[in-house]
Amino acid sequence: MKKDFYEILGISKSASDAEIKKAYRKKALEFHPDKNPDNPAAEEQFKLAAEAYEVLSDPQKKAKYDQYGHQAFDGAGGFGGGHGGMNMDDIFSQFGDIFGGGFGGFGGGGGGPRRAKGSNMRIKVKLTLEEIANGVEKKVKVKRKVQAPGVSYKTCSTCNGQGQVMRVTNTILGRMQSASTCPSCGGSGQILDKKPNNADAQGMILEDETVSIKIPAGVVDGMQLKVSGKGNDAPGNSIPGDLIVAIEELEHEFLKREGENLHYDLYISFAEAVLGISKDIEAVNGKVRIKLEEGIQSGKILRLKGKGIPSINGYGSGDLLVHVNVWTPKTLNKEQKQFFENALNDDNFTPHPEKSDKSFFEKVKDMFS
């Protein structure tokens, strides 16, 4: 089981942005590769801290994590959040600026050329309730920026491939040397050498690619998943960006979703309510047969355990709540009308609610408990 992000950084859920940043800087400095050479355990802790900071420093990601835990980002097939899709270059390029050059590899600390990362791409995937309940693999066509065939890059002459330029300034303490990102190559150490005619100024072209996305069961409308490395490329020896997948839930014809529970309105005739009957109702995994007892009342709620939506955190499934509605006929023929007129004074047709027959407000309370 993955370790809690707050526990990794040693902070509480109420920590401020500044406290999160400070805690990450402390952990990253402690486990930085420069201080722990050839130490796989320290490198693992370094990556875990970066993973935690990536989520907790982003308000939207943090809110999703607080609500859904690791499942908000982890899914089968490489969804983001896990450091399995984040290498050391990712960490240096994304978070190095908060270290102020304290160690090599971070923001002007003399760590050599930095691998650029391509921009992220965003798409929306529409899912039916059945697909959400069972999980699904979707194949989508995206148009990505990739390096054009035949493009070549050469060593940047401004920084000689180092990705940084050194500056010497005179101070009252003497001559001080500092490093900054090379303005010519952006820190990559490479610049464009040759490119085909169909490529843009950076040697990139647009290319169609079919991406397979495995979506876990239980996702919710508006949730965003990440497919690592399926965004745009960047020039030179770069790291591809990510594909951000936004979930859109399509409305079901009969079922209404409320979290992990589903609601179904079942309409029955007056005769069916009096005599009792078996009915087939719609569920996300096919039809389900239920039996209605004789004399069932309108407003009765039947709860079918485990027939709702699976929890995205793996904690079982919600329920299917069947709301029974007795349909009153609006027109009657002469014989039918005579039957009900005769029943007006019949004690069997006079309402006699029992204590076990809950009021509307009690039913609503039970439904949400």
Side-chain angles (χ1 to χ4, degrees), residues 118-317:
S119 60
N120 292 340
M121 296 173 57
R122 286 173 169 78
I123 61 169
K124 183 178 289 185
V125 172
K126 297 181 179 182
L127 300 178
T128 65
L129 202 54
E130 289 81 4
E131 290 173 330
I132 289 174
N134 297 292
V136 67
E137 182 173 354
K138 289 281 190 179
K139 295 185 183 296
V140 297
K141 183 176 285 188
V142 296
K143 196 177 286 291
R144 301 176 56 218
K145 274 189 177 182
V146 298
Q147 294 182 26
V151 71
S152 63
Y153 300 87
K154 63 183 180 181
T155 300
C156 175
S157 57
T158 302
C159 64
N160 293 320
Q162 295 301 305
Q164 299 173 335
V165 291
M166 306 302 295
R167 290 188 176 86
V168 178
T169 56
N170 294 317
T171 71
I172 59 174
L173 299 176
R175 292 166 63 83
M176 301 291 290
Q177 181 174 278
S178 63
S180 61
T181 301
C182 176
S184 299
C185 65
S188 67
Q190 295 180 317
I191 58 174
L192 187 65
D193 183 22
K194 297 177 182 178
K195 71 178 183 71
N197 292 332
N198 62 333
D200 64 16
Q202 294 182 313
M204 312 295 289
I205 59 171
L206 287 173
E207 188 175 85
D208 288 330
E209 180 176 340
T210 300
V211 179
S212 181
I213 307 170
K214 290 183 179 179
I215 300 174
V219 294
V220 297
D221 187 79
M223 179 179 283
Q224 293 188 351
L225 307 173
K226 182 175 78 174
V227 185
S228 298
K230 289 302 180 180
N232 290 316
D233 282 347
N237 184 28
S238 62
I239 304 166
D242 302 319
L243 179 63
I244 309 300
V245 182
I247 301 299
E248 180 180 345
E249 181 179 317
L250 297 174
E251 186 175 348
H252 195 277
E253 184 178 2
F254 304 109
L255 298 169
K256 299 295 181 184
R257 182 178 181 182
E258 180 201 11
E260 294 164 6
N261 292 331
L262 295 174
H263 297 269
Y264 181 90
D265 274 318
L266 175 63
Y267 288 88
I268 61 175
S269 69
F270 183 78
E272 289 172 329
V274 171
L275 300 174
I277 194 173
S278 293
K279 281 280 190 179
D280 289 331
I281 64 169
E282 197 80 23
V284 286
N285 290 313
K287 292 187 180 297
V288 176
R289 171 152 290 207
I290 61 172
K291 184 175 178 59
L292 307 178
E293 72 273 15
E294 295 180 7
I296 192 168
Q297 300 298 315
S298 187
K300 178 81 172 179
I301 299 175
L302 306 177
R303 183 183 292 267
L304 305 184
K305 289 284 188 181
K307 295 296 183 181
I309 300 294
S311 166
I312 196 168
N313 291 316
Y315 301 138
S317 298

